[in-house]
């Protein structure tokens, strides 16, 4: 594939990204021209933000960046970006094809925040809608509420014109659920204690056997962006923990946990073990650390250290007495500075005027979670 220079990249992704995902009003605009003002635009996301294209020409971060530099509202651009991943059946941690709960039903969570408008919306445990991030945006834009859950969230989506599908499984996600069932429930029922142990251990075994990408067990995409004017927004969307108890909601749709945006300070979002993040409300904490003057990286490291201190249960510790799970934060401040940090080594994605990149996160701990 021909390597794009910077000007080509901006022009190509602007047009291609818009063709894939942009609102109709953007068509017909000329090529995007970057004219530096106060802030260098940037989009920061989890690694899957620069991986999946759903058969289109551009990834999430490329699409969002092209739309932002083309003048779109920052949140519209981010939602268009994550929709690509939600709709791509190959990402089994988000939207359509996301790994289902313990009963084989796909339940999705999402939230978003608009810095300048100071609006937020979320949906949790919603079934039958491939693009929960768009529903979350409509909760923010058209209701007086910040979070709709379960059947109510689905009814709201139906009322807003979304197609409600009976089943969001793909062949791949259904087969993986069947394999999990076969391993955890061979005689239909085990006693509750054995079942709980088998549940956790079997999930990790599927990861160790290479059947599930470790990043997809707790899944999720978070994507945050800023434009020339310094307008900051963010969105997080997920199918949540694989094989969760039906109704389990993780950190992703919860403001302050899966995402927090303060338009004057910065944005932070998360992927990884949602319970660890929920307990510590890390995204809010990270933004508050930045308000106190911390850099994105230092703010994220402070949150990881807090999670480590608060992880004391033996079942959550590895042989070295350290957390046995992954947790990642993607952070962007109001100056356009960004960082990706994680409990253990991982990657994240960015898109700036240099084009899309997948970068290593800054890890708090060495080795692997399960060592
Ligand atoms: N971080 C995604 C979840 O735990 O649901």
């Amino acid at each position: 594939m021909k390597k794009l220079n910077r000007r080509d990249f901006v022009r190509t992704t602007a047009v291609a990204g818009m063709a894939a995902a942009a609102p109709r009003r953007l068509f017909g605009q000329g090529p995007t021209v970057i004219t530096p003002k106060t802030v260098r635009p940037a989009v920061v996301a989890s690694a899957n933000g620069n991986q999946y294209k759903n058969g289109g020409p551009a990834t999430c971060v490329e699409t969002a960046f092209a739309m932002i530099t083309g003048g779109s509202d920052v949140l519209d651009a981010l939602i268009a970006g994550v929709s690509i991943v939600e709709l791509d059946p190959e990402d089994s941690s988000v939207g359509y094809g996301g790994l289902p709960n313990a009963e084989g039903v796909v339940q999705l969570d999402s939230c978003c925040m608009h810095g300048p408008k100071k609006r937020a919306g979320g949906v949790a445990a919603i079934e039958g809608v491939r693009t929960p991030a768009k529903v979350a945006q409509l909760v923010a834009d058209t209701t007086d509420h910040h979070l709709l859950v379960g059947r109510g969230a689905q009814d709201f989506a139906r009322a807003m014109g979304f197609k409600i599908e009976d089943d969001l499984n793909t062949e791949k996600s259904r087969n993986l659920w069947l394999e999990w069932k076969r391993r955890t429930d061979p005689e239909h029922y085990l006693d509750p204690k054995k079942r709980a142990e088998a549940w956790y251990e079997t999930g990790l075994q599927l990861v160790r056997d290479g059947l599930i990408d470790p990043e997809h067990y707790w899944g999720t995409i978070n994507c945050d962006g800023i434009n020339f004017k310094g307008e900051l927004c963010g969105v997080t969307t997920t199918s949540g923990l694989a094989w969760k108890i039906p109704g389990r909601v993780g950190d992703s749709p919860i403001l302050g946990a899966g995402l927090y945006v303060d338009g004057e300070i910065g944005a932070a979002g998360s992927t990884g073990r949602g319970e660890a993040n929920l307990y510590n409300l890390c995204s809010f904490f990270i933004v508050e650390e930045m308000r106190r003057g911390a850099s994105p990286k230092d703010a994220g490291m402070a949150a990881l250290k807090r999670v480590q201190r608060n992880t004391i249960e033996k079942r959550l510790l590895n042989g070295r007495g350290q957390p046995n799970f992954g947790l990642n934060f993607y952070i962007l401040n109001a100056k356009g500075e960004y960082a990706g940090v994680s409990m253990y080594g991982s990657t994240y994605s960015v898109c700036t005027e240099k084009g899309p990149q997948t970068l290593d996160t800054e890890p708090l701990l060495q080795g692997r979670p399960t060592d």
Side-chain angles (χ1 to χ4, degrees), residues 64-191:
F65 185 78
M67 288 180 66
I68 287 172
T69 53
S72 291
D73 175 81
V74 176
L75 188 57
D76 284 348
L78 301 179
I79 301 278
V82 299
S83 293
I84 294 169
V85 186
E86 289 177 325
L87 292 169
D88 193 326
E90 286 305 310
D91 189 326
S92 56
S93 73
V94 177
Y96 175 59
L99 291 174
N101 66 20
E103 301 305 329
V105 177
V106 177
Q107 292 185 325
L108 305 175
D109 305 326
S110 179
C111 76
C112 61
M113 293 185 79
H114 197 294
K117 291 183 185 166
K118 299 199 184 293
R119 280 202 190 142
V123 288
I126 185 171
E127 296 176 13
V129 180
R130 295 185 183 203
T131 52
K134 281 188 181 163
V135 186
Q137 189 183 22
L138 282 167
V139 172
D141 283 349
T142 67
T143 80
D144 182 36
H145 312 306
H146 289 318
L147 183 60
L148 298 180
V149 306
R151 181 61 196 264
Q154 189 191 64
D155 286 346
F156 172 76
R158 185 185 290 105
M160 287 288 152
F162 284 75
K163 182 175 166 197
I164 309 298
E165 298 179 58
D166 283 344
D167 188 357
L168 294 186
N169 275 293
T170 54
E171 199 182 333
K172 180 176 159 190
S173 67
R174 194 187 319 282
N175 283 339
L176 280 165
W177 173 74
L178 281 169
E179 177 63 15
W180 177 81
K181 268 292 202 201
R182 190 183 64 73
R183 293 191 188 197
T184 55
D185 207 1
E187 293 166 33
H188 196 55
Y189 279 115
L190 298 175
D191 75 64

Side-chain angles (χ1 to χ4, degrees), residues 47 215 271 328 330 341-342 344-348 359-363:
E215 295 294 337
T271 64
N328 316 294
Y330 315 97
V341 302
S342 53
Y344 295 92
S346 186
T347 55
Y348 72 114
L359 304 172
D360 288 335
T361 57
E362 184 74 25

Side-chain angles (χ1 to χ4, degrees), residues 222-364:
N222 162 248
C223 188
D224 311 301
I226 190 164
N227 66 9
F228 291 122
K229 293 187 260 180
E231 292 172 336
L232 264 167
C233 296
V235 59
T236 299
T237 176
T238 191
S239 52
L241 174 68
W243 339 126
K244 60 196 172 189
I245 293 173
R248 175 267 188 190
V249 171
D251 57 331
S252 300
I254 305 300
L255 306 177
L259 175 73
Y260 197 73
V261 179
D262 182 315
E264 276 80 55
I265 305 297
S270 178
T271 64
R273 183 178 152 80
E275 282 70 11
N277 185 19
L278 268 176
Y279 189 85
N280 296 281
L281 289 180
C282 294
S283 293
F284 180 75
F285 175 77
I286 288 168
V287 171
E288 293 308 296
E289 284 292 285
M290 292 196 286
R291 192 190 306 281
R292 288 187 276 272
S295 69
K297 186 184 109 183
D298 290 349
M301 288 314 229
L304 288 166
K305 285 178 190 159
R306 177 177 282 207
V307 171
Q308 186 183 16
R309 274 199 309 278
N310 282 335
T311 303
I312 59 168
E313 286 185 70
K314 196 157 176 271
R315 71 190 174 91
L316 298 173
L317 298 172
N318 62 22
R320 290 171 289 149
Q322 294 173 337
N324 65 8
F325 50 82
L327 186 60
N328 316 294
F329 298 110
Y330 315 97
I331 307 157
L332 178 62
N333 71 15
K335 292 186 230 163
E337 298 162 337
Y338 55 82
V341 302
S342 53
M343 193 63 84
Y344 295 92
S346 186
T347 55
Y348 72 114
S349 57
V350 299
C351 195
T352 62
E353 80 278 8
K354 293 186 197 146
Q357 290 173 281
T358 298
L359 304 172
D360 288 335
T361 57
E362 184 74 25
L364 177 67

